Amino acid sequence: MLETGTKAPDFELPDQNGEMHRLSDYAGKKVVLYFYPKDNTPGCTKQACGFSERYPQFTEKGAVVLGVSKDTVASHKKFEEKYGLAFTLLADPERKVIEAYDVWKEKNNYGKVSMGVVRTTYLIDEKGIIVKANDKVKAADDPEKMLGEL
């Protein structure tokens, strides 16, 4: 996990509509950048729907929400449409950004060890500095918690 007080690495990734986004595009805004394992899984769906329900409150506080997983643009589009998600999902199938933000880790699931995305949320300020980093994320609680951080 990247440390608070450090500059967030810039990146360029496509969203669920195939449009490119850079972190630097959001200079002057707060960014909630969250990494999650997989579209359409129970925890990830709870987290995404929580961010979507609260999205107007995030925008009121001058923040944008960006969700990142290694799913494809097409997978993100289906996920967005199925749940009516109100924010941007970024596709990182090559794991460039996932690895730059140090969230690709060894995971232990019921004794089975594998590599995967550790659910992690970063709050990045208007100047691109990480002001909050959390890798002990409870999917259902994360949106409310991040709203509180703003």
Side-chain angles (χ1 to χ4, degrees), residues 26 29 49-61 63-66 85-88 147:
Y26 299 99
K29 289 188 174 198
C49 288
F51 275 119
S52 191
E53 286 161 19
R54 292 166 183 82
Y55 196 65
Q57 294 162 273
F58 281 101
T59 55
E60 278 170 25
K61 293 179 182 245
V64 295
V65 176
L66 303 174
L85 301 177
F87 62 93
T88 302
L147 205 49

Side-chain angles (χ1 to χ4, degrees), residues 1-89:
M1 181 173 72
L2 301 179
E3 296 297 314
T4 56
T6 60
K7 183 112 175 99
D10 200 9
F11 57 77
E12 183 177 51
L13 288 175
D15 68 10
Q16 66 268 35
N17 300 309
E19 293 171 26
M20 298 305 283
H21 292 256
R22 289 182 184 82
L23 181 60
S24 53
D25 295 342
Y26 299 99
K29 289 188 174 198
K30 294 179 184 93
V31 177
V32 175
L33 181 66
Y34 84 96
F35 293 88
Y36 65 99
K38 190 154 181 50
D39 290 344
N40 286 303
T41 56
C44 297
T45 299
K46 271 191 195 119
Q47 189 177 21
C49 288
F51 275 119
S52 191
E53 286 161 19
R54 292 166 183 82
Y55 196 65
Q57 294 162 273
F58 281 101
T59 55
E60 278 170 25
K61 293 179 182 245
V64 295
V65 176
L66 303 174
V68 181
S69 79
K70 62 185 193 64
D71 294 300
T72 62
V73 168
S75 173
H76 279 347
K77 189 66 185 167
K78 284 184 196 142
F79 190 42
E80 174 206 32
E81 289 174 348
K82 184 174 181 179
Y83 295 101
L85 301 177
F87 62 93
T88 302
L89 298 172

Side-chain angles (χ1 to χ4, degrees), residues 74-118:
S75 173
H76 279 347
K77 189 66 185 167
K78 284 184 196 142
F79 190 42
E80 174 206 32
E81 289 174 348
K82 184 174 181 179
Y83 295 101
L85 301 177
F87 62 93
T88 302
L89 298 172
L90 299 175
D92 188 15
E94 281 94 43
R95 301 192 318 254
K96 286 185 185 122
V97 178
I98 287 167
E99 291 183 18
Y101 278 81
D102 197 28
V103 296
W104 185 253
K105 304 261 188 209
E106 195 173 89
K107 295 167 81 170
N108 191 336
N109 241 356
Y110 305 107
K112 183 177 171 261
V113 177
S114 62
M115 294 298 286
V117 172
V118 173

